Amino acid sequence: MTIILGLESSCDETAAALVTHDGRILAHRLATQEEAHRPYGGVVPEIAARAHVEMLTPLVEAAFADAGLTLADVDAIAATAGPGLIGGVMVGLVTGKALAHAAGKPLVAVNHLEGHALSPRLSDPTLQFPYMLLLVSGGHCQLLLVKGVGNYARLATTIDDAAGEAFDKTAKLLGLGYPGGPAVEEAASRGNPKAVPLPRPLLGTSEPHFSFAGLKSAVMRAAQSGQHTVEDIAASFQQAVIDCLVDRARRQLVAYPDVTAFVVAGGVAANQAIRGALETLAASQGLRFVAPPLWLCTDNAAMIAWAGAERFALGMTDALDFAARPRWPLDPDAQAARSAGVKA
């Protein structure tokens, strides 16, 4: 039995997990930093990095205790090596390197986005390549053709804000607090999604990409007008995001009819209204819809350990001098989208 220790510290969640090659999660420990960042309305990189330093070692020890294992029992150490807040990424990667060196175990430097991309195969072992993936998180909004482990074709990306970023900014504009995504979803459940006329950027266009900056600005104007309730603005905003995600995804599903499934992953995939709309889209195209359980959508170490297991099984290990990366595209050869820059 192959056992992988996974470490995650790319943003504001610190986590450690032990996962087997056949997808059994032996242990998972996670510490959130919501209370530390709430006064600032968003993640403060310096606070996040210090918290990772304080939390990661105790979480690793707790995960081993939960599983009844020791470092000698694992076959490899998988650590997020990017993309993310570089201070946090360095904490996890350096910890992974130290453990790998001390125990004489291989290191697997994991792309955080690949953790999300492969996480549906952890929750659904029947999922086969190639599949269409909508990766929606606080920092990324992409459509990817997942051909295999380490083999991705980026079909669309955001040219400005990511969907999760738009949720967070909308929450701040509406005074809904932090974290923004769940707060907007809760307010939207009590509002009318047709009450506020909001734009659907790039809807129906031949350009494949996403755009949410104009929608965010329209939310600001709606809030400043005083003509709408917070709940109605939240519901209308959420529906606009759904319409954009469905339209852009449908375009690629039609272009790639031979995929095995339509898959969604990333923190925004925890939004139930978005999940429901995407599941309906998959059904309309005659495709399976696969989404990880909610806790696997947000940042966690189980997905990093699983990505490490998938890579380790193929002999993909890394040297101890592997450098942390604040930016790390899954498809480095993808054509740059206009104005997308580092979010490509």
Side-chain angles (χ1 to χ4, degrees), residues 31-178:
T32 182
Q33 301 175 16
E34 287 183 5
E35 290 303 319
H37 299 288
R38 181 168 286 116
Y40 308 97
V43 178
V44 181
E46 292 81 3
I47 293 175
R50 286 196 294 269
H52 290 312
V53 171
E54 296 170 359
M55 296 175 178
L56 188 53
T57 297
L59 289 175
V60 171
E61 293 172 345
F64 276 123
D66 291 344
L69 299 172
T70 68
L71 182 58
D73 296 314
V74 305
D75 295 277
I77 316 294
T80 299
L85 302 176
I86 191 62
V89 171
M90 290 177 65
V91 171
L93 183 57
V94 168
T95 300
K97 289 179 179 180
L99 292 172
H101 178 70
K105 305 290 183 178
L107 172 73
V108 183
V110 174
N111 186 315
H112 179 82
L113 302 181
E114 185 166 48
H116 281 303
L118 297 177
S119 63
R121 284 169 52 85
L122 172 59
S123 59
D124 185 348
T126 68
L127 178 61
Q128 298 296 313
F129 304 118
Y131 53 85
M132 184 71 67
L133 169 69
L134 174 61
L135 177 56
V136 276
S137 67
H140 296 84
C141 186
Q142 300 181 355
L143 280 160
L144 297 147
L145 184 62
V146 182
K147 302 177 184 180
V149 177
N151 188 359
Y152 306 91
R154 195 216 70 203
L155 307 175
T157 187
T158 178
I159 64 173
D160 41 59
D161 289 354
E165 189 177 359
F167 267 91
D168 288 341
K169 290 178 178 177
T170 291
K172 182 172 280 191
L173 287 169
L174 299 180
L176 292 175
Y178 176 85

Side-chain angles (χ1 to χ4, degrees), residues 234-307:
S236 299
F237 162 79
Q238 181 174 268
Q239 188 58 53
V241 171
I242 288 172
D243 291 347
C244 291
L245 293 177
V246 168
D247 177 74
R248 306 286 80 193
R250 180 186 290 112
R251 187 179 188 276
Q252 297 301 338
L253 290 173
V254 170
Y256 293 88
D258 296 329
V259 295
T260 64
F262 179 38
V263 177
V264 63
V268 178
N271 181 295
Q272 294 286 6
I274 289 175
R275 273 191 184 228
L278 296 174
E279 186 170 12
T280 299
L281 171 61
S284 74
Q285 302 299 311
L287 286 170
R288 290 179 61 206
F289 177 70
V290 180
L294 299 184
W295 76 272
L296 268 179
C297 290
T298 52
D299 290 351
N300 63 86
M303 71 178 189
I304 302 303
W306 175 250

